[in-house]
Amino acid sequence: MAGTFYVTTPIYYVNDVPHIGHAYTTLACDVISRYKRSRGYDVYFLTGTDEHGQKVEAAADANGETPLELADRVVKRYQALWDKLNISHNDFIRTTQERHKRAVSEQFRKLEAKGDIFLGEYEDWYCTPCETFWTETQLLDGTCPDCGRPTTKLKEESYFFRMSQYQEQLVRHIEENPDFIQPKSRRNEIISFIKEGLRDLSISRTSFSWGIPVPGNEKHVIYVWFDALSNYISALGYPEDKDGLYENFWPVDVHVIGKDILRFHAVYWPTFLMAAGLPLPKKVFAHGWWTVEGQKMSKSLRNVVEPNMLIDKYGVDAIRYFLLREVPFGLDGDFSHSSLISRINSDLANDLGNLLSRSTAMLGKYFDGVVQSPDHADEIDQAYIDLFPLATAKIDKLYEDMAFNKVLQTIWELISAGNKYIDETAPWALAKDPAQQGRLGRVLYNLLEAQRLIALQIAPFMPETAEKILALLGVDPKANLADNDTWGALQAGSKIKKASPLFPRIEAE
Ligand code: MSP
């Protein structure tokens, strides 16, 4: 076993239905999980839903249903989408589950007993959509500095968490652990936020009731972010840890989140953990946001991209590929139908699809589909073969940085080099000369063996496509990368059928 690996998505609010933004975060976690598993890691991949708080209560009211009815309904939408997207999570946590509520109450009690939570009074400007309090000076023309919507003045009795106590310790931690917040550009933003001064944080509400009650004072419900963030340990069975998951997997290797919720993960959550005496996450990675055809995605603009429809139209692997190929993970990106179609046509139908159909067609034509033995390698063969271990090492490194688009770029360099290798070795010319039979067999072997390795590398991104290619090559489709990543495992003598097109070309509408 290479070690353990724990990765989490944010838990999604149930007052909204899933769109490509949510699918993107989850997909990234899925790719890294599949990759780590293929490298021999014991992986725990967690996702789930965030079901408490004023926003959910208000959405349920507006629909004439209870918050739990709303949650039960929307949770199904998330779960169905994750099935359809081939998401390989190990657990799905809902914050309304007993296991979670117990852990949150326990955590609250523990910090209160320690004196890090105390009862006080609050008077400040509250932004309901963001569920965040702001001071007068933080407001921008009276509106929320994060989302620009109106705020209202609230005065209430509230429990506070002594976040201010942890300011120094947190800055030190961030400075001493350069990988803690990624990408790097986001790190400075957080450091300057902290250095402006951390105030004690209001962590209870009395203005609504849909939440986990404060232990011993049921007038209050626990602040939704204190509740939600704890999912990352409650799902592991904290604090009882009956199954030993917490012991095995905490601290988490990476929390993958969108840039909008970095402050909660890189400031609030670590200070809660410090107060509880628990180890901090190893890494928090904030990815960028998708716009659609150049515009912010929003219900009012009616441009919310619905993943189910895309999958039905283009296929699950094409969508998985596109979302992680198009934009460097960490930067903002734009979703457009034309770029999706051009990626499908050029990268998938042309580059990947043609390599497979050309080489299997030639094997069929010249050797009746039987793989020949490669007794030696000529210089041009060796040059191609040598690209593979180099690419594998490079890809390992790129995954460490979550540079998914560069991983795909590196794999596609192998694919392009394969198509070029066909052009340069010109098998159709070799086929005309009986003296070149051995050479022809070798060239085709190399092409097919290359695609075995390519299929293993694309598997985390496009699991169905990888399975199809591996099955066609007569390789166990569940083969993992760790045991099979060296050149030469394809068996001479096995029989391979001509591939049908992996990705049909799409005509632009
Ligand atoms: N419930 C909180 C998270 C609690 S985690 C302890 C939440 N939920 S959310 O449903 O609003 O958002 C979940 C994730 O979706 C966030 O990481 C957010 O960045 C991501 N996205 C929402 N819209 C997005 C885009 N348009 N583009 C990319 N990601 C987006 O926040």
Side-chain angles (χ1 to χ4, degrees), residues 344-355 415 419 503 505:
I344 294 177
N345 286 344
S346 72
D347 303 4
L348 302 181
N350 252 1
D351 300 345
L352 177 65
N354 276 347
L355 181 60
I415 295 171
N419 279 317
F503 293 91
R505 280 188 69 83

Side-chain angles (χ1 to χ4, degrees), residues 5-12 25-26 29 32-33 44-47 231-233 235-236 250 252-257 265 269 283 285:
F5 189 80
Y6 180 30
V7 57
T8 65
T9 72
I11 48 174
Y12 302 101
T25 318
T26 308
C29 293
I32 192 98
S33 295
Y44 204 76
F45 167 16
L46 175 70
T47 188
N231 90 89
Y232 300 130
I233 53 177
L236 296 179
W250 192 261
V252 68
D253 290 273
V254 57
H255 288 313
V256 180
I257 56 167
H265 285 81
W269 179 226
K283 191 191 287 187
F285 194 107

